[in-house]
């Protein structure tokens, strides 16, 4: 549980530094952080939080990028 809390604190610190980033960079980073924290929780329940965080982070980054492309397709910034 301590590892999950540390991961969430690190993710929060990374998200706080998003002010100078483009919208694509913000969405990819946010997706990765959300995916990593969710994956760590699921991995913790399954017995491997590090693998869950890695897989969730990758999936979250991909999701953030796809969401960004969808928003740009719709004409949103």
């Amino acid at each position: 549980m301590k590892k999950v809390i540390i991961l969430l604190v690190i993710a929060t610190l990374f998200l706080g530094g998003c002010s100078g980033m483009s919208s694509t960079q913000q969405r990819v980073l946010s997706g990765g952080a959300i995916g990593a924290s969710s994956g760590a929780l699921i991995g913790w329940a399954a017995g491997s939080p590090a693998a869950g965080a890695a897989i969730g982070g990758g999936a979250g980054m991909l999701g953030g990028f796809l969401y960004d492309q969808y928003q740009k397709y719709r004409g949103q910034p």
Side-chain angles (χ1 to χ4, degrees):
M1 187 66 179
K2 188 183 284 188
K3 291 180 184 179
V4 173
I5 293 172
I6 291 171
L7 183 64
L8 290 174
V9 169
I10 290 171
T12 303
L13 291 173
F14 276 116
L15 291 176
C18 291
S19 62
M21 296 177 151
S22 69
S23 62
T24 301
Q25 292 170 332
Q26 289 178 358
R27 289 176 178 146
V28 170
L29 181 63
S30 298
I34 292 167
S37 60
S38 301
L41 288 174
I42 294 169
W44 175 70
S48 181
I55 294 167
M61 289 175 68
L62 178 62
F65 178 75
L66 293 174
Y67 178 73
D68 178 68
Q69 296 304 306
Y70 174 71
Q71 290 296 338
K72 288 182 178 177
Y73 173 76
R74 291 183 56 211
Q76 303 293 324

